[in-house]
Amino acid sequence: MLILEKLIIDGGTRLCGEVKLQGAKNSVLPILAASILCDDECYIDNCPRLSDCNVSMRIIRHLGKSAYRDGGSVIIGNEEITKNDIPEDMMREMRSSITFLGAIIAKMGEAKISLPGGCELGPRPIDIHISALRQMGVDISENHGLIECKVRDKLRGAVIALPYPSVGATENIILAAVLAKGTTIISNAAKEPEIVDLTIFLRSCGAKIIGAGESTVIICGVESLSGAYHKVIPDRIEAISYMSAIAITGGTGELIGVVPEHIMAVIPIFEESGCKLQSTDSGLSITAPERLGAVKYIRTMPYPAFPTDAQAIIMALMAQSMGTSVFVETVFSGRYKHIAELQRMGANIKAEDRVAVVSGVERLSGASVSATDLRGGAALVIAALGADGRSEISNIHYIDRGYENIEGKLKKLGACIARVNLT
Ligand code: EPZ
């Protein structure tokens, strides 16, 4: 049941202090999906408390394995999965549910799912996933929103050239290929750090994978996988979000646990806007000027280029900067829904198709706004922290999908923020 809540933020407080990063949402979700391939217990450490993780655990339990939380870790049992379907309500709750497909087929030889849900960022087809699985010997029929998959005899390795370095498709192929007969070669694979983290987990379970993090990934199928202990990498998008919260208030702080290499495309953006960044023993420190300068041009692209997941977050920053910034969103065609909400806060943004021109204003003003998706919601929180006066942000269930205890972490930095239950 959806609990109606909102965030109340009084802007203008200069944020200072430390933020300890959560485990990466976009790494733990495919790792939880991968755990159904394992014959022994899996111990996933640094697993963030997110609604998406809860959905993954419900899917795992539905499939027949035990899954429970022990503090910051999730433990997946050594039971064999007994089912090959995922109920529609669970599929609709998040896009990442699709990543279970390859693993279910690998284990059960067949699967029945509906199309995945998740943030509406424009059309999000799964054609690349489907075409790759077909190349691995899976018969797939799609009727009335239901996808039925059946392996002719055994999943077999294949040479798969991706038309686009899709994160989800790369993960799905890897999960199907680790137990397939023969070798799979993925070219033009996604190179995100979360893909590397997934393969580190699988290799510790006995999988044979080389090239993760590069364009060509090679997987030699094995008979079975054991279990493993794995600590999930820090969340690079959460890091960028808190750096932005600190920067828009002219604050100073330290991101504990961040891996600077993972945000290499974003560090120059903060520096160009006038922030001072420094590596520290435990992460990265950021000190912001009283007023940020505009960053001229930001183009989202697959990793290691500027991440689409940081687009809305950095746009909120630029909305209160000195000068004009141009954004080009190349990954998703409908990822500008936050603009209308930022305009309610006095932002001066013009958007057409995939291009948005942001003319920074002296100061945003607090307003009643509504989150439209996960990162769009985070952008509103950042804008509200920099704005003059009070903001009320509704639809925050989107934010809870990707940020653990956002109000607690911001309060620790000195923010005036509260979560209000409306039910
Ligand atoms: C992952 O989504 C992330 N989600 C997204 O983060 C992120 O925005 C995205 O990668 C890009 O970096 C998770 O890891 C759980 P894609 P995914 O497949 O796998 C098109 C967040 O905010 N495409 O790389 O769905 C697709 O429509 C979320 O944390 C096809 O056309 O992304 C999109 O335009 C939001 N056909 C582009 O590729 C396909 O079969 C990138 O999609 C698959 C994808």
Side-chain angles (χ1 to χ4, degrees):
M1 185 191 82
L2 188 61
I3 302 168
L4 287 181
E5 296 176 315
K6 65 181 173 187
L7 288 174
I8 310 265
I9 299 175
D10 291 329
T13 308
R14 191 168 167 273
L15 301 190
C16 296
E18 292 181 352
V19 183
K20 185 173 174 321
L21 296 178
Q22 66 187 37
K25 168 182 84 80
N26 292 346
S27 180
V28 75
L29 296 177
I31 288 174
L32 289 172
S35 71
I36 69 167
L37 294 165
C38 301
D39 295 347
D40 304 323
E41 189 178 77
C42 295
Y43 198 99
I44 313 298
D45 199 0
N46 202 22
C47 182
R49 293 173 191 283
L50 305 172
S51 50
D52 278 8
C53 293
N54 301 339
V55 177
S56 291
M57 290 165 71
R58 277 174 39 220
I59 293 174
I60 292 169
R61 285 194 285 266
H62 166 81
L63 293 170
K65 264 185 181 283
S66 58
Y68 62 96
R69 182 171 278 281
D70 174 13
S73 307
V74 164
I75 294 105
I76 313 295
N78 59 4
E79 305 85 352
E80 276 300 309
I81 64 168
T82 54
K83 292 200 179 118
N84 61 30
D85 71 308
I86 299 178
E88 186 168 350
D89 63 319
M90 295 183 196
M91 283 302 294
R92 279 181 176 281
E93 281 205 47
M94 67 174 183
R95 165 80 183 186
S96 196
S97 49
I98 191 72
T99 323
F100 280 90
L101 183 59
I104 295 173
I105 296 170
K107 270 298 205 183
M108 305 296 284
E110 56 184 311
K112 283 191 204 76
I113 60 163
S114 60
L115 286 173
C119 288
E120 285 168 27
L121 310 175
R124 300 183 79 177
I126 56 168
D127 55 321
I128 304 176
H129 301 241
I130 302 283
S131 126
L133 290 168
R134 283 196 170 119
Q135 291 173 61
M136 298 178 76
V138 186
D139 290 337
I140 303 180
S141 63
E142 297 172 66
N143 297 309
H144 313 297
L146 195 67
I147 300 162
E148 297 200 56
C149 310
K150 196 165 180 45
V151 177
R152 262 169 254 129
D153 62 66
K154 185 169 168 52
L155 262 176
R156 61 173 191 276
V159 178
I160 300 169
L162 296 183
Y164 183 90
S166 153
V167 173
T170 303
E171 292 165 347
N172 233 332
I173 299 165
I174 291 173
L175 294 192
V178 283
L179 294 179
K181 196 156 155 258
T183 301
T184 298
I185 302 176
I186 312 172
S187 60
N188 195 25
K191 299 186 270 191
E192 274 67 2
E194 293 79 19
I195 303 263
V196 177
D197 202 30
L198 170 65
T199 60
I200 291 170
F201 166 69
L202 286 165
R203 285 163 60 118
S204 60
C205 297
K208 293 200 169 110
I209 308 171
I210 52 173
E214 290 151 38
S215 295
T216 303
V217 179
I218 302 174
I219 307 112
C220 303
V222 295
E223 276 309 308
S224 66
L225 294 176
S226 64
Y229 164 89
H230 182 80
K231 184 167 185 188
V232 175
I233 57 172
D235 195 314
R236 61 192 167 104
I237 307 297
E238 191 205 22
I240 297 164
S241 308
Y242 284 100
M243 288 165 75
S244 302
I246 291 166
I248 202 167
T249 66
T252 179
E254 187 178 1
L255 290 298
I256 309 292
V258 67
V259 180
E261 293 74 50
H262 291 173
I263 57 172
M264 280 322 241
V266 182
I267 287 177
I269 302 279
F270 283 100
E271 288 172 337
E272 189 183 335
S273 74
C275 295
K276 299 266 173 298
L277 301 180
Q278 195 127 37
S279 289
T280 64
D281 296 346
S282 41
L284 191 72
S285 71
I286 177 169
T287 303
E290 203 164 316
R291 180 97 194 270
L292 294 166
V295 173
K296 295 190 184 40
Y297 186 71
I298 294 166
R299 181 187 182 86
T300 69
M301 296 273 280
Y303 190 88
F306 183 92
T308 172
D309 294 347
Q311 176 255 104
I313 291 159
I314 299 296
M315 189 179 285
L317 216 52
M318 292 299 109
Q320 194 166 286
S321 70
M322 288 181 287
T324 301
S325 315
V326 176
F327 286 76
V328 182
E329 172 54 65
T330 74
V331 179
F332 289 105
S333 59
R335 199 168 201 177
Y336 280 152
K337 291 196 183 69
H338 48 279
I339 292 180
E341 297 303 310
L342 288 173
Q343 287 167 337
R344 288 173 189 276
M345 301 178 78
N348 179 354
I349 306 173
K350 305 226 172 357
E352 197 155 323
D353 197 16
R354 302 205 178 214
V355 178
V357 179
V358 181
S359 308
V361 297
E362 176 82 32
R363 191 84 190 275
L364 293 169
S365 44
S368 224
V369 290
S370 186
T372 49
D373 54 68
L374 165 58
R375 307 304 172 184
L380 298 180
V381 169
I382 289 155
L385 291 165
D388 176 33
R390 172 164 292 192
S391 296
E392 300 196 3
I393 304 175
S394 55
N395 267 356
I396 59 172
H397 58 278
Y398 283 119
I399 299 173
D400 293 335
R401 296 192 45 205
Y403 296 90
E404 180 178 286
N405 183 23
I406 193 165
E407 73 275 14
K409 287 189 176 183
L410 286 170
K411 231 182 241 160
K412 205 164 150 261
L413 291 172
C416 302
I417 181 168
R419 178 183 292 253
V420 178
N421 189 324
L422 302 172
T423 37

